[in-house]
Amino acid sequence: MSNNHVALVTGGTRGIGAAICKHLKSAGNQVIANYVGNDQRAAAFSEENDIPVMKFDVANFEACQKAIAHTINTYGPISILVNNAGITRDGTLLKMSAENWQDVIDTNLGSCFNMCKAIFPSMKEAGFGRIVNVGSINGQAGQYGQVNYAAAKSGIHGFTKALAQEGARFGVNVNAIAPGYVDTDMVAAVPDEVLKKIIAKIPVGRLGIADDIARGVAFLTADEASFITGSTLSINGGQHMY
Ligand code: NDP
């Protein structure tokens, strides 16, 4: 698989996003990684991998439009967009604050609108684009204590299929990846006893690693993936066969 495109990865400085950036760079793309607050981690990632980083909040519509205009001015039109940034703010419905509901919806789902709104027109004009939205097994199957996250991720799967229909005629392919449980900072927040129960339900018998997901993203963003659009690629060790 060979590519030579400008690729923007949201939440690209650690975890799954960092692995995605490295795989897209190895495939020959000019990669830019976004992040929101962890400056030290971003600087270390940038230096180690020779990948430029951009700090902006994907939940903020204006910030996204500004950052994308700047990226296009600096690097040229963006042909690959990976909407990967995401957060959790878990709690049962009865305990969940309106703020934790809204933050998760805005960061995980609103971000897809904010980013695609700014990038889709130039992809359409160029007659080429690859958008991959990172959903979740918990958007497919639901999860106790995650009405906010499950709703946002489930929304991503619908968003993907709708935008895929708008992009198909213009060579803009839109797909989703639905990771299962992957060993990153996000999963480190899950209590040990809960994690043990989760691993017991994964047929392959282990958590995923970030590279497992990044390989799938690299596949979907390749030039050769021209006939794949509106799909969800589930990478979950067999935990949810959908
Ligand atoms: P991490 O928590 O390890 O990393 C999150 C990344 O997103 C960081 O780079 C962070 O930046 C960035 N980020 C968070 N909020 C924003 C924001 N508002 N604007 C811009 N960047 C932001 O997450 P993972 O690697 O675990 O997860 C990546 C994606 O995969 C998420 O969408 C997640 O929901 C999804 N996923 C993860 C699973 C897992 O098991 N880990 C399972 C299924 C899906 P900073 O460092 O500055 O905070």
Side-chain angles (χ1 to χ4, degrees):
M1 287 187 288
S2 63
N3 282 38
N4 185 17
H5 301 293
V6 175
L8 178 57
V9 180
T10 69
T13 53
R14 59 190 170 94
I16 293 171
I20 293 171
C21 286
K22 291 183 215 170
H23 280 257
L24 294 188
K25 190 176 180 207
S26 309
N29 300 296
Q30 163 68 61
V31 179
I32 300 109
N34 147 264
Y35 73 105
V36 73
N38 199 329
D39 296 321
Q40 264 187 345
R41 190 80 177 258
F45 167 83
S46 180
E47 197 180 322
E48 209 173 292
N49 299 288
D50 192 23
I51 291 175
V53 294
M54 275 190 85
K55 183 176 183 175
F56 63 93
D57 181 358
V58 294
N60 180 320
F61 181 80
E62 295 305 333
C64 291
Q65 314 314 297
K66 233 171 116 179
I68 289 161
H70 175 74
T71 307
I72 293 174
N73 274 340
T74 311
Y75 300 100
I78 298 164
S79 312
I80 297 175
L81 167 65
V82 184
N83 285 312
N84 164 78
I87 57 167
T88 50
R89 298 282 184 269
D90 295 352
T92 56
L93 175 75
L94 294 181
K95 290 186 182 157
M96 187 175 290
S97 65
E99 193 185 355
N100 283 353
W101 163 264
Q102 204 59 52
D103 282 353
V104 168
I105 297 292
D106 291 349
T107 304
N108 295 21
L109 179 59
S111 58
C112 292
F113 175 78
N114 297 343
M115 297 297 292
C116 289
K117 179 91 175 152
I119 294 176
F120 190 80
S122 59
M123 288 182 168
K124 187 175 157 187
E125 199 183 325
F128 180 89
R130 296 280 184 270
I131 298 173
V132 178
N133 301 316
V134 179
S136 169
I137 189 172
N138 293 349
Q140 295 170 310
Q143 175 66 11
Y144 184 93
Q146 286 197 325
V147 290
N148 51 2
Y149 186 80
K153 292 301 190 181
S154 185
I156 283 181
H157 297 300
F159 178 96
T160 298
K161 288 180 225 172
L163 190 60
Q165 293 179 36
E166 295 183 24
R169 278 184 302 134
F170 306 104
V172 182
N173 293 18
V174 189
N175 291 291
I177 290 262
Y181 284 80
V182 180
D183 193 7
T184 67
D185 296 343
M186 186 179 271
V187 162
V190 178
D192 268 0
E193 66 279 13
V194 177
L195 208 53
K196 273 189 198 145
K197 285 185 194 154
I198 289 169
I199 294 171
K201 287 187 194 149
I202 304 175
V204 303
R206 66 166 176 88
L207 291 177
I209 56 167
D211 282 332
D212 290 325
I213 311 305
R215 283 185 204 102
V217 174
F219 170 71
L220 290 173
T221 55
D223 289 356
E224 291 86 345
S226 57
F227 204 56
I228 308 175
T229 197
S231 277
T232 296
L233 179 57
S234 298
I235 306 180
N236 59 34
Q239 189 182 353
H240 184 60
M241 300 188 190
Y242 197 64

